[in-house]
Amino acid sequence: MTIALAIALSALAMTLIVGVRYLIASGGFALATRIRHPGLYRGLDGQMRREVAWSLASAAIYGVPAGIVAWGWQNRDWTRIYTDAAAWPLWYLPVSLLLYLFAHDTWFYWTHRWMHRPRPFRIAHAVHHASRPPTAWAAMSFHPWEALTGALVIPVLVFVIPIHVAVLALVLTIMTVMGVTNHMGWEIFPRFIHSGPLGRWLITASHHQRHHAEYRCNYGLYFRFWDRLCGTDKGLGRFDLPGRGGDGGAVRAAGGSGSGGIA
């Protein structure tokens, strides 16, 4: 087998893995939504089909660089991914997890904020914000240009920051779960997480929902650090849920409604 064919097969395999992971995660949380809040996604069938289509296209864009890096790790020792837990001190395992999450969050915050400038928004980011309100299927609903910015960060980090393969798997799991749950239209985490002291620094659906409602705030992915430091943190949003005075699907942020504005 030629090297080019081996790399292509690795990229195809990773594309399938990312796509199936998306379908399982988003499908599972969409099912949880149907059970927990029946009717929340009523009338959004067409939107959800578009979200799935854009997300599966994004899966290919995420899968190709991941597949190339995976081949290089297994066959050429390109990366700093390691499998022997004793290669680094045990205390480094949680440290590496936090380093990856913070680096990813930093990249996401600044690229996301840049995409809310008029031209990048119009060209690419408007695809994601076309989901109004977003659903569990919207986690990877990106224009290809936006998907490309997100697809490169983890493959680049594995060349720079040492990480155990199991911790890398945990990073990818957290990335998937947070991407889906932040868009579900309701808060899956208990109140002590999203509204307590921990919630002052961690992002959940309550925080990200306000971004989708007002556009000019709450740009982070995992942590509120950059939003707080840069004055773009506008606090938590709220949800109008079926049976709680809502209209069966509309979602608003506390203190304002979606204006379609661009920062």
Side-chain angles (χ1 to χ4, degrees):
M1 182 185 300
T2 66
I3 291 177
L5 179 58
I7 293 175
L9 290 175
S10 180
L12 176 60
M14 289 304 298
T15 295
L16 292 174
I17 290 171
V18 174
V20 170
R21 184 183 68 188
Y22 158 76
L23 291 172
I24 291 174
S26 289
F29 284 110
L31 178 61
T33 300
R34 175 174 292 187
I35 295 170
R36 183 69 175 82
H37 297 290
L40 183 61
Y41 296 163
R42 186 177 295 122
L44 299 178
D45 290 351
Q47 174 185 304
M48 289 189 288
R49 283 193 293 270
R50 290 191 297 273
E51 290 170 347
V52 172
W54 283 114
S55 294
L56 291 179
S58 296
I61 295 171
Y62 275 76
V64 170
I68 294 171
V69 169
W71 181 89
W73 166 55
Q74 293 178 329
N75 295 277
R76 293 292 189 271
D77 197 27
W78 283 351
T79 74
R80 306 197 71 184
I81 301 170
Y82 63 96
T83 57
D84 181 4
W88 285 76
L90 289 180
W91 58 260
Y92 181 70
L93 295 176
V95 169
S96 63
L97 173 66
L98 291 175
L99 285 174
Y100 269 70
L101 292 179
F102 183 74
H104 188 197
D105 187 71
T106 298
W107 175 260
F108 183 89
Y109 175 88
W110 289 106
T111 55
H112 187 194
R113 187 170 175 179
W114 172 75
M115 284 184 187
H116 275 264
R117 298 181 64 84
R119 193 162 184 268
F121 187 94
R122 190 166 54 250
I123 292 172
H125 196 48
V127 166
H128 186 65
H129 277 278
S131 296
R132 301 186 65 180
T135 75
W137 297 104
M140 292 178 61
S141 183
F142 304 132
H143 184 280
W145 285 116
E146 179 171 3
L148 187 60
T149 67
L152 296 178
V153 58
I154 300 298
V156 169
L157 286 176
V158 298
F159 286 92
V160 179
I161 303 175
I163 189 167
H164 189 273
V165 64
V167 178
L168 179 59
L170 181 56
V171 169
L172 297 175
T173 300
I174 292 172
M175 180 176 70
T176 301
V177 170
M178 297 309 295
V180 176
T181 59
N182 283 353
H183 292 90
M184 286 200 308
W186 58 284
E187 186 60 77
I188 195 171
F189 294 102
R191 181 175 295 275
F192 78 87
I193 291 181
H194 64 79
S195 296
L198 196 60
R200 292 179 58 82
W201 297 103
L202 296 181
I203 290 173
T204 65
S206 299
H207 187 267
H208 193 65
Q209 183 54 45
R210 189 154 194 169
H211 170 75
H212 276 269
E214 297 188 24
Y215 286 56
R216 296 182 176 92
C217 61
N218 296 16
Y219 298 107
L221 177 60
Y222 306 121
F223 309 115
R224 295 172 67 173
F225 171 79
W226 287 110
D227 275 310
R228 287 183 173 276
L229 184 66
C230 299
T232 55
D233 194 310
K234 301 302 181 184
L236 304 184
R238 71 177 179 86
F239 308 103
D240 286 338
L241 299 171
R244 298 186 185 180
D247 62 4
V251 188
R252 297 177 296 175
S257 60
S259 63
I262 305 170

